[in-house]
Amino acid sequence: MSEPVRTPPFAPFEWMLSSRYLRARRKEGFISVIAGFSFLGIMLGVATLIIVMAVMNGFRKELLDKILGLNGHIVVQPLESPLTDWKDVAERISRVQGIRLAAPVVDGQALASSPFNASGVFVRGIRAQDLNGVTSITKNIKQGTLEGFDEGQGVAIGRRLADQLSLRAGDSITLVAPRGAVTPMGTTPRIKPYKVAAVFEIGMSEYDSSFVFMPLVEAQAYFNRANDVTAIEIYTTNPDRIDTFRKSVTEAAQRPIFLVDWRQRNSTFFNALQVERNVMFLILTLIVLVAALNIVSGLIMLVKDKGSDIAILRTMGASQGSVMRVFLITGAAIGVVGTLVGFLLGLIVCLNIESIRQFISWMTNTELFSPELYFLSKLPAEVDVGETAAVVIMALTLSFLATLYPSWRAARLDPIEALRYE
């Protein structure tokens, strides 16, 4: 008598049975509903994870670009004595390899006013040649021009500040500083009008509504600086190599200085973003986990319902492995298809996130993603290949793990017990 021929793993009949179990008949409608919700849960979970992580990546990248585009990557502040030798120090630092720009600045606070409104502003005095090296300003001039910036007494203001004060290029803005001329009656505020030479729009509301740039010499006179500067803002070619530049800058300065880099200035902000990102990942992973548990419950019910079918298959010669693979394919198909559809949906939404935001804002007549709250004027999305791959692998892994226990139960089913009451 010849031995029975064993079918190879994942034989065609296993795939056929799995596909038939996925297409449930009317009396198995409840099982089909559970499978449908499992598919939707995994699809929406994967898509939501990809979208949220992409938006948070884009949010961080845009903020980093805006912050580092306007502020220096390293700030040189004086120790022991004022920075009266700022020209020589800036010249020596600018010759360090990897340093793109060393800009002496005079910083101060003032009240900006017009005939229509008033607002507190941050005034930065800077040379025209240095301001031209700050590309986030020069590439985003919306009105006026920066030509002849050093020669005149004009200032450059942000777009939101101009709108708030109802000003345009060519109009006059009045700056009021609390510490002005010293008189026998005490220190009087300094009040001086300036022509608005240019209006810029960086795209970060905090800067567009508060920054005012004026010529360095004028700022020194306005803030009573005795031919010194507040600090030297240093822009590097690679902000991620900031530790290397700190040592080179300290050596090139040749005087006592105190350095503050962009990580120290914004550590709280970016740490909060990182924590929020990690928490969101964990929360949204629970959606995929719940969907995977739905696969478990759906398969267990399917195994109970198909007990007699399994028993007949076993008596016809199907091995335990074959039965297990049938239900493994059935459950994994839900997870794989749900993951792939969710992946495609997430990518489509990420590529059109700003258009979708504008459409929803138009439909609901509300402002989604307000620039005043989120600092940016548009919704960014940056898809990270590694993170997206991790999301897809995580969803597939959970889907496969969810099928193991029900498939194992199906394979362990005793044919005699299953057919006893049939």
Side-chain angles (χ1 to χ4, degrees):
M1 186 175 177
S2 60
E3 292 186 6
V5 179
R6 289 188 174 275
T7 57
F10 299 102
F13 91 92
E14 296 173 6
W15 291 93
M16 182 194 69
L17 283 174
S18 299
S19 64
R20 288 194 62 180
Y21 288 162
L22 285 170
R23 301 193 304 269
R25 296 190 297 272
R26 182 176 296 178
K27 69 174 184 177
E28 300 156 356
F30 186 64
I31 298 172
S32 182
V33 168
I34 293 177
F37 277 114
S38 302
F39 167 79
L40 285 175
I42 289 176
M43 179 192 73
L44 293 176
V46 170
T48 306
L49 261 173
I50 291 173
I51 294 166
V52 170
M53 300 307 288
V55 168
M56 298 196 78
N57 283 338
F59 188 64
R60 183 183 185 279
K61 182 177 181 297
E62 286 292 317
L63 279 178
L64 197 59
D65 290 344
K66 305 292 185 190
I67 291 171
L68 297 186
L70 185 64
N71 295 310
H73 306 159
I74 304 175
V75 179
V76 176
Q77 296 175 334
L79 281 179
E80 299 179 5
S81 62
L83 266 173
T84 52
D85 56 342
W86 52 269
K87 286 185 179 179
D88 296 332
V89 174
E91 180 65 27
R92 287 194 296 268
I93 292 174
S94 63
R95 288 198 293 263
V96 174
Q97 186 176 3
I99 300 299
R100 183 170 58 83
L101 177 66
V105 296
V106 171
D107 292 335
Q109 293 181 327
L111 176 71
S113 64
S114 71
F116 311 100
N117 209 341
S119 177
V121 294
F122 183 83
V123 180
R124 170 163 289 179
I126 187 171
R127 296 179 297 186
Q129 66 193 64
D130 297 329
L131 185 58
N132 289 330
V134 183
T135 54
S136 61
I137 298 294
T138 55
K139 290 184 177 179
N140 293 289
I141 299 296
K142 302 301 179 182
Q143 298 175 19
T145 178
L146 292 176
E147 292 182 9
F149 183 74
D150 269 349
E151 287 75 23
Q153 288 191 333
V155 295
I157 66 175
R159 179 69 174 269
R160 289 187 174 275
L161 178 62
D163 292 342
Q164 188 177 350
L165 302 182
S166 301
L167 296 175
R168 294 178 57 83
D171 293 343
S172 179
I173 183 174
T174 301
L175 296 180
V176 182
R179 302 185 67 177
V182 179
T183 67
M185 302 297 293
T187 303
T188 60
R190 172 160 286 141
I191 304 173
K192 188 171 182 179
Y194 290 94
K195 176 186 174 184
V196 178
V199 176
F200 61 85
E201 184 176 17
I202 298 174
M204 188 169 177
S205 61
E206 184 180 6
Y207 293 157
D208 289 336
S209 61
S210 62
F211 259 78
V212 174
F213 290 94
M214 69 165 55
L216 180 63
V217 175
E218 180 62 31
Q220 287 175 321
Y222 185 78
F223 289 110
N224 299 325
R225 309 295 301 201
N227 197 33
D228 69 326
V229 296
T230 309
I232 298 175
E233 298 266 345
I234 299 173
Y235 298 81
T236 67
T237 53
N238 187 356
D240 292 326
R241 293 182 54 238
I242 210 70
D243 291 326
T244 305
F245 294 125
R246 284 178 69 104
K247 183 179 179 182
S248 303
V249 167
T250 303
E251 293 173 353
Q254 298 178 14
R255 59 154 292 158
I257 57 172
F258 179 69
L259 299 182
V260 180
D261 61 52
W262 67 270
R263 296 173 305 184
Q264 295 169 310
R265 297 167 83 181
N266 305 284
S267 60
T268 304
F269 183 69
F270 285 108
N271 286 340
L273 275 182
Q274 186 65 34
V275 170
E276 183 181 357
R277 185 167 161 276
N278 293 338
V279 170
M280 288 298 293
F281 183 85
L282 291 175
I283 292 172
L284 294 172
T285 301
L286 293 178
I287 299 176
V288 182
L289 183 59
V290 169
L293 293 177
N294 277 341
I295 294 178
V296 175
S297 59
L299 280 180
I300 289 176
M301 293 183 66
L302 185 63
V303 169
K304 294 285 286 181
D305 185 68
K306 299 294 183 182
S308 58
D309 292 12
I310 296 169
I312 293 170
L313 283 171
R314 291 296 312 281
T315 57
M316 292 174 64
S319 65
Q320 286 186 335
S322 292
V323 174
M324 185 173 182
R325 285 191 293 272
V326 167
F327 289 92
L328 196 70
I329 294 169
T330 304
I334 299 171
V336 170
V337 175
T339 300
L340 292 179
V341 174
F343 169 71
L344 293 175
L345 178 63
L347 287 185
I348 291 170
V349 172
C350 288
L351 293 174
N352 301 278
I353 191 77
E354 178 60 19
S355 302
I356 293 171
R357 182 193 72 85
Q358 292 176 1
F359 176 73
I360 295 175
S361 297
W362 174 75
M363 286 286 291
T364 59
N365 199 27
T366 56
E367 186 179 22
L368 297 176
F369 200 76
S370 171
E372 283 77 13
L373 292 176
Y374 296 97
F375 302 111
L376 302 177
S377 56
K378 67 177 184 178
L379 190 61
E382 178 84 10
V383 178
D384 184 86
V385 176
E387 283 184 354
T388 305
V391 170
V392 171
I393 292 170
M394 180 266 297
L396 291 174
T397 303
L398 287 177
S399 301
F400 282 121
L401 290 176
T403 64
L404 292 178
Y405 176 68
S407 303
W408 177 78
R409 279 195 57 176
R412 297 276 295 174
L413 192 67
D414 186 358
I416 297 174
E417 290 296 325
L419 294 173
R420 182 185 295 275
Y421 302 107
E422 289 295 329

